[in-house]
Amino acid sequence: MPTRMSSFFLRTLREDPADAEVPSHRLLVRGGYVRRVAPGIFTWLPLGWKVYRNVERVVREQMDAAGFQELHFPALLPRGPYEASNRWTEYGDNVFRVKDRRDNDFMLGPTHEEFFTLTVKDLYDSYRDLPLAIYQIQTKYRDESRPRAGILRGREFVMKDSYSFDLDDAGLDASYERHRAAYESTFDRLGLEYVTVSAMSGAMGGSASEEFLAPCDSGEDTYVACTSCDYAANAEAVRFPVADPVDATDAPAAHVEDTPETPTIQTLVDLSNGRDDLARDDREWTAADTLKNVVVMISQPDGTREPLAIGVPGDRDVDMKRLEAEFEPAVVEAFTPEDFAAHPQLAKGYIGPGEDVLGQGGIRYLLDPRIAEGSRWITGANAPGNHVYDLVAGRDFPVEGRIDVADIREGDPCPNCGGDLTLARGIEVGHIFKLGRRYAEALDLTVQDESGTNVVVTMGSYGIGVSRAVAAIVEQSHDDAGMVWPRSVTPFDVHLLTAGKSDDHAAAAESLAAEIEAAGMSVLYDDRDASAGVKFNDADLLGMPTIVVVGRGLKNGEVEVKDRATGDRRDVPFDALVETLVADAARA
RNA sequence: CGGGAUGUAGCGCAGCUUGGUUAGCGCGCCUCGUUCGGGACGAGGAGGUCGGCGGUUCGAAUCCGCCCAUCCCGACCA
């Protein structure tokens, strides 16, 4: 039986919801696929649920095909295991915490590493049981400080998470590769365009890590890709090589100059160019000649705070996102007036390297990799209104450490081949990484090897944002009129409507609907007593891949078949309709 | 958590500055009629704790205070 719109639980909105910004949010709400219940929490209405389940089905089929085994943990989790890995604290405000009637702590699981690990530990003891790869498709909860963009980033969302367990690094490599291949086939089937970029392993600890990003304007992740080689990385993970040392034997001695009213790079550059005693003969000073020192506070989950100074070329800013990624799970805070008061050696606006100030016994001081040993700089002289010129890195102050957190720009040299980097945005729909032994060690997951020795298991962790993928598909596949579903996840194969209200139209549509369904395709039949325009617009909005119109061609025994994606329309005789639809579906 | 904005019917909004009958418009919904291939038309109707609490006042959607909530921009993640 076709689903009849006259009785289908669906209401489309004529106007965009006021709170929806990104296309997926706007269209999913307007099309009656989802409905907001609370910030970041949504109801899946019948149409949306069909899409969601199709996505979930594809994910499950590809996991099963790869030989991974599905299980299901609770979403409501006791505190204990998270103590062992220290994450009850580390996750901070991002977890929904609840108590039972006896005042025991529970949480709504934001992730399940501990439970996978502990369950394997419970059941397995021998190397002969490995390798193992298990997964679940689970509702996860994260009390995001700022949920946004509708389904793209909710506080309740569905994630497929897998874990692999291997005896050694070679085994982990193999498990990782199997997951990568499974992910590629999954996203291919979902009709998602994606790029694979290398990524930091983030809060979970570990080594190799790659993200699957669906490129689109609403993406929250910035990634770089090289125009010359196949290098691609999340902006947070890009690491530029340390610049080669330069010869500084001819460099003049460093000299402090009186530079009043120059607390910013721009004022400093302007003053330097404007004064005869400071101006260069060969060219103008630029911001890139200055060494900018940014002081921040690194705040650990346990509450300890430590100041950190970062030196970058003055034409660059510190990218806070990259900096945060570097110190996870610690949080980076701006230096407050109180912090400055507690460090009186820091002259705001005139901070520079110096004994007991930055480095050399003072605040921990790390330099951008572009600052070569032997390079000359203008920087703060640690006194208001004073800068030091011709300060040579490595000669006048030691290079105590490096940190690569400056902003990345279009055209920056590729760390791999030196070609030009491009910047783009994408939605993280998948993430695979080699966890290593962190959880296994913390939770004491070992197996006996052939010699009877206990060996710590090495793990991999692999996620797919199932609910997020629904939104990502819309982000990539829509036009002004509405959504355009890939056939693999469409809620219905065919959207059938009558343009014309005679009994003949209805009878023809009924019989065609039955034929189409008999051929194995699902039909959403718009049998409503609405004007043709309303039906056409709803059909475009709802986005089934094929729209069949029983209209003015009826008298000739023809219907119109419209391809939602291309907009192409063809008149097809009744008796050729099913054949046409089957052929179209097969071609897609 | 910082910055900005908003809260009035299922959805989108006006009214608030300058307090005053029964709180209004469009969409959607119900009834009747007309229309019938790209969000038709007429007539009639249903639907509201005006975010909450407190205050000022003869009288508060409107003024004041506090609170709550939501959205957007920045810092976090599938």
Side-chain angles (χ1 to χ4, degrees):
Chain A
M1 289 287 285
T3 297
R4 289 165 212 281
M5 276 180 78
S6 59
S7 56
F8 192 46
F9 189 49
L10 168 72
R11 183 116 299 146
T12 58
L13 303 178
R14 192 162 186 165
E15 292 166 276
D16 284 336
D19 58 358
E21 203 72 10
V22 301
S24 63
H25 188 192
R26 206 178 68 232
L27 292 170
L28 287 169
V29 172
R30 193 151 86 84
Y33 280 70
V34 302
R35 191 130 183 105
R36 196 192 75 102
V37 171
I41 300 176
F42 287 82
T43 298
W44 294 93
L45 295 167
L47 267 183
W49 190 238
K50 280 176 181 289
V51 177
Y52 166 79
R53 285 200 307 169
N54 286 338
V55 170
E56 188 186 279
R57 190 196 70 241
V58 168
V59 170
R60 179 174 284 118
E61 284 175 2
Q62 295 308 120
M63 293 300 114
D64 291 345
F68 311 146
Q69 302 171 61
E70 183 171 8
L71 46 60
H72 198 76
F73 287 102
L76 182 64
L77 305 170
R79 172 175 178 163
Y82 287 84
E83 286 287 355
S85 59
N86 204 31
R87 290 211 297 185
W88 181 263
T89 317
E90 273 187 14
Y91 258 98
D93 293 334
N94 268 340
V95 284
F96 283 100
R97 295 161 203 269
V98 293
K99 285 179 182 294
D100 70 8
R101 63 173 70 201
R102 296 185 192 82
D103 212 34
N104 294 311
D105 285 317
F106 284 81
M107 61 196 249
L108 294 175
T111 177
H112 284 80
E113 278 90 348
E114 284 80 357
F115 286 85
F116 275 93
T117 311
L118 287 170
T119 303
V120 172
K121 175 181 167 167
D122 276 349
L123 298 176
Y124 273 12
D125 307 286
S126 164
Y127 75 97
R128 289 191 287 191
D129 295 321
L130 303 183
L132 171 70
I134 47 183
Y135 77 96
Q136 67 170 341
I137 295 174
Q138 173 67 269
T139 305
K140 309 275 186 179
Y141 297 87
R142 290 187 194 168
D143 192 5
E144 298 276 350
S145 49
R146 191 185 153 212
R148 67 184 120 181
I151 297 293
L152 267 183
R153 187 190 174 100
R155 292 193 295 173
E156 176 183 279
F157 58 97
V158 176
M159 182 162 99
K160 186 288 304 176
D161 53 332
S162 315
Y163 293 86
S164 65
F165 301 86
D166 284 280
L167 197 59
D168 53 30
D169 293 348
L172 174 55
D173 290 347
S175 292
Y176 185 87
E177 291 307 322
R178 276 206 297 162
H179 275 88
R180 189 218 305 275
Y183 275 36
E184 287 169 354
S185 56
T186 300
F187 293 125
D188 285 344
R189 279 188 64 189
L190 290 176
L192 269 173
E193 181 202 338
Y194 63 92
V195 293
T196 313
V197 305
S198 56
M200 299 271 294
S201 39
M204 289 73 174
S207 50
S209 168
E210 287 163 284
E211 287 172 349
F212 290 76
L213 300 182
C216 71
D217 294 339
S218 354
E220 290 190 272
D221 280 87
T222 302
Y223 68 95
V224 303
C226 179
T227 51
S228 307
C229 71
D230 60 1
Y231 178 84
N234 190 302
E236 294 173 9
V238 177
R239 289 295 170 270
F240 293 99
V242 173
D244 291 333
V246 296
D247 181 19
T249 48
D250 294 337
H255 46 105
V256 174
E257 299 290 344
D258 199 24
T259 55
E261 309 287 316
T262 54
T264 65
I265 297 291
Q266 191 56 51
T267 52
L268 174 62
V269 169
D270 291 346
L271 176 130
S272 299
N273 283 322
R275 261 180 37 191
D276 292 343
D277 59 325
L278 297 176
R280 294 178 66 118
D281 300 331
D282 52 343
R283 62 172 173 84
E284 298 260 289
W285 290 110
T286 71
D289 297 313
T290 69
L291 173 59
K292 175 158 71 181
N293 299 296
V294 178
V295 187
V296 295
M297 196 59 89
I298 306 296
S299 181
Q300 300 293 340
D302 65 9
T304 57
R305 298 169 85 237
E306 185 204 356
L308 172 73
I310 299 153
V312 297
D315 61 331
R316 301 232 174 210
D317 286 320
V318 170
D319 181 330
M320 291 308 282
K321 206 163 174 170
R322 298 186 73 205
L323 177 58
E324 292 259 6
E326 192 75 18
F327 285 95
E328 270 188 329
V331 175
V332 179
E333 296 168 356
F335 225 62
T336 64
E338 293 74 45
D339 291 327
F340 274 106
H343 297 272
Q345 73 272 35
L346 297 177
K348 197 173 182 203
Y350 303 91
I351 298 171
E355 263 184 65
D356 298 327
V357 186
L358 300 190
Q360 305 164 68
I363 291 171
R364 186 175 171 209
Y365 185 44
L366 302 174
L367 290 174
D368 184 88
R370 293 173 187 81
I371 298 166
E373 296 250 6
S375 56
R376 291 155 60 178
W377 301 92
I378 306 174
T379 194
N382 293 314
N386 285 274
H387 280 90
V388 56
Y389 287 69
D390 294 314
L391 190 77
V392 174
R395 182 191 73 181
D396 300 322
F397 66 98
V399 177
E400 298 179 359
R402 297 288 186 176
I403 189 167
D404 188 2
V405 293
D407 55 15
I408 300 173
R409 297 182 194 155
E410 196 85 23
D412 275 348
C414 170
N416 186 42
C417 74
D420 289 347
L421 290 182
T422 57
L423 286 171
R425 296 175 73 81
I427 299 165
E428 185 181 358
V429 288
H431 196 163
I432 55 178
F433 61 92
K434 298 179 184 176
L435 256 187
R437 299 185 168 81
R438 171 178 170 176
Y439 289 98
E441 269 165 12
L443 301 169
D444 196 28
L445 170 62
T446 60
V447 293
Q448 289 190 312
D449 68 10
E450 279 180 288
S451 68
T453 311
N454 284 321
V455 179
V456 176
V457 170
T458 184
M459 297 168 56
S461 166
Y462 317 90
I464 290 179
V466 180
S467 47
R468 174 180 280 182
V470 174
I473 290 167
V474 179
E475 289 293 331
Q476 288 189 347
S477 185
H478 70 271
D479 57 24
D480 290 345
M483 295 165 272
V484 183
W485 292 109
R487 290 181 190 272
S488 56
V489 300
T490 185
F492 293 93
D493 297 313
V494 175
H495 190 130
L496 173 69
L497 64 88
T498 51
K501 294 180 181 173
S502 74
D503 290 345
D504 288 348
H505 284 90
E510 289 285 350
S511 107
L512 289 171
E515 280 183 44
I516 298 167
E517 296 218 315
M521 283 178 277
S522 56
V523 177
L524 177 63
Y525 170 34
D526 192 347
D527 60 335
R528 293 176 301 172
D529 184 32
S531 72
V534 170
K535 293 184 177 184
F536 286 135
N537 281 309
D538 272 346
D540 288 341
L541 172 63
L542 296 179
M544 303 328 142
T546 304
I547 298 165
V548 175
V549 182
V550 178
R552 57 189 166 207
L554 178 65
K555 55 185 180 297
N556 307 322
E558 290 182 334
V559 291
E560 182 179 279
V561 175
K562 175 179 171 181
D563 183 304
R564 174 66 183 85
T566 63
D568 292 343
R569 303 184 205 185
R570 290 167 291 165
D571 288 324
V572 175
F574 282 4
D575 54 14
L577 177 62
V578 167
E579 188 187 338
T580 302
L581 296 179
V582 169
D584 286 354
R587 193 176 323 116

